[in-house]
Coordinates of all heavy atoms in Angstrom, one line a residue:
R57 N 16.7 210.2 63.6 CA 16.3 209.9 62.2 C 17.5 209.2 61.5 O 18.5 209.1 62.1 CB 16.0 211.3 61.5 CG 14.8 212.0 62.1 CD 14.7 213.4 61.5 NE 15.8 214.2 61.9 CZ 16.1 215.3 61.2 NH1 15.4 215.7 60.2 NH2 17.1 216.1 61.7
N58 N 17.3 208.8 60.3 CA 18.3 208.1 59.6 C 18.1 208.2 58.1 O 17.0 208.0 57.6 CB 18.3 206.6 60.0 CG 19.6 205.9 59.6 OD1 20.6 206.1 60.2 ND2 19.5 205.1 58.6
P59 N 19.2 208.6 57.4 CA 19.0 208.7 55.9 C 19.1 207.4 55.2 O 19.6 206.4 55.8 CB 20.3 209.5 55.6 CG 21.3 209.1 56.6 CD 20.5 208.9 57.8
A60 N 18.6 207.3 54.1 CA 18.6 206.1 53.3 C 19.9 206.0 52.5 O 20.5 207.0 52.2 CB 17.4 206.0 52.3
G61 N 20.3 204.8 52.1 CA 21.4 204.7 51.2 C 22.8 204.7 51.7 O 23.8 204.8 51.0
V62 N 23.0 204.8 53.0 CA 24.3 204.8 53.6 C 24.9 203.4 53.5 O 24.3 202.4 53.8 CB 24.3 205.2 55.1 CG1 25.7 205.1 55.7 CG2 23.7 206.6 55.2
K63 N 26.1 203.4 52.9 CA 26.8 202.1 52.6 C 27.5 201.5 53.8 O 28.4 202.2 54.3 CB 27.7 202.2 51.4 CG 26.9 202.6 50.1 CD 27.9 202.8 49.0 CE 28.5 204.2 49.1 NZ 29.3 204.6 48.0
L64 N 27.2 200.4 54.2 CA 27.9 199.7 55.3 C 28.0 198.3 55.0 O 27.0 197.6 55.0 CB 27.3 199.9 56.7 CG 28.0 199.3 57.8 CD1 29.3 200.0 58.1 CD2 27.2 199.3 59.1
P65 N 29.3 197.7 54.7 CA 29.4 196.3 54.4 C 29.0 195.4 55.6 O 29.1 195.8 56.7 CB 30.9 196.2 54.1 CG 31.4 197.6 53.9 CD 30.5 198.5 54.8
G66 N 28.6 194.2 55.3 CA 28.4 193.2 56.3 C 29.7 192.8 57.0 O 30.8 192.9 56.4
A67 N 29.6 192.3 58.2 CA 30.8 191.9 58.9 C 31.4 190.6 58.4 O 30.7 189.7 58.1 CB 30.4 191.7 60.4
R68 N 32.7 190.6 58.2 CA 33.4 189.5 57.8 C 34.9 189.8 58.2 O 35.2 190.9 58.4 CB 33.3 189.1 56.4 CG 33.7 190.3 55.4 CD 33.3 189.9 54.0 NE 33.6 191.0 53.1 CZ 34.8 191.1 52.4 NH1 35.7 190.2 52.7 NH2 35.0 192.0 51.6
P69 N 35.8 188.8 58.1 CA 37.2 189.0 58.4 C 37.8 190.1 57.6 O 37.6 190.1 56.3 CB 37.9 187.7 58.2 CG 36.8 186.7 58.4 CD 35.5 187.4 57.9
A70 N 38.4 191.1 58.2 CA 38.9 192.3 57.4 C 40.2 192.0 56.7 O 41.0 191.2 57.2 CB 39.1 193.5 58.4
A71 N 40.4 192.6 55.5 CA 41.6 192.4 54.8 C 42.7 193.1 55.4 O 42.5 194.2 56.1 CB 41.4 192.9 53.3
A72 N 43.9 192.6 55.3 CA 45.1 193.2 55.9 C 45.5 194.5 55.1 O 45.1 194.6 53.9 CB 46.3 192.3 55.9
G73 N 46.1 195.4 55.8 CA 46.6 196.6 55.1 C 45.5 197.6 54.7 O 45.6 198.2 53.7
E74 N 44.5 197.8 55.6 CA 43.4 198.7 55.2 C 44.0 200.1 55.2 O 44.9 200.5 55.9 CB 42.3 198.6 56.2 CG 41.6 197.3 56.2 CD 40.4 197.2 57.1 OE1 39.4 197.8 56.7 OE2 40.5 196.6 58.2
E75 N 43.4 201.0 54.4 CA 43.9 202.3 54.1 C 43.6 203.3 55.2 O 42.4 203.4 55.6 CB 43.5 202.8 52.8 CG 44.0 202.0 51.6 CD 43.5 202.6 50.3 OE1 42.3 202.8 50.1 OE2 44.4 202.8 49.4
T76 N 44.6 204.0 55.7 CA 44.4 205.1 56.6 C 45.3 206.2 56.1 O 46.2 206.0 55.4 CB 44.8 204.7 58.0 OG1 46.2 204.2 58.0 CG2 43.9 203.6 58.6
R77 N 44.9 207.4 56.6 CA 45.7 208.6 56.2 C 45.9 209.5 57.4 O 44.9 209.8 58.1 CB 44.9 209.3 55.1 CG 45.7 210.5 54.5 CD 44.9 211.2 53.4 NE 45.6 212.3 52.9 CZ 45.1 213.2 52.0 NH1 43.9 213.0 51.5 NH2 45.8 214.2 51.6
P78 N 47.1 210.0 57.7 CA 47.3 210.8 58.8 C 46.5 212.1 58.7 O 46.5 212.8 57.7 CB 48.8 211.1 58.8 CG 49.4 210.0 57.9 CD 48.3 209.7 56.9
L79 N 45.9 212.5 59.8 CA 45.1 213.8 59.8 C 46.0 215.0 59.7 O 45.6 216.1 59.3 CB 44.3 213.9 61.1 CG 43.1 213.0 61.3 CD1 42.3 213.4 62.5 CD2 42.3 212.9 60.1
S80 N 47.3 214.9 60.1 CA 48.2 216.0 60.1 C 48.3 216.7 58.7 O 48.6 217.9 58.6 CB 49.6 215.7 60.6 OG 50.1 214.6 59.9
G81 N 48.2 215.9 57.7 CA 48.3 216.5 56.3 C 46.9 217.0 55.8 O 46.9 217.5 54.7
M82 N 45.9 216.9 56.6 CA 44.6 217.3 56.1 C 43.9 218.4 56.9 O 43.2 219.2 56.3 CB 43.6 216.0 56.1 CG 44.1 214.8 55.4 SD 43.2 213.4 55.7 CE 41.6 213.9 55.2

Side-chain angles (χ1 to χ4, degrees):
R57 299 173 291 161
N58 193 73
V62 176
K63 295 174 283 187
L64 181 67
R68 58 188 178 89
E74 294 186 77
E75 291 181 314
T76 56
R77 184 178 180 186
L79 289 191
S80 58
M82 304 170 60

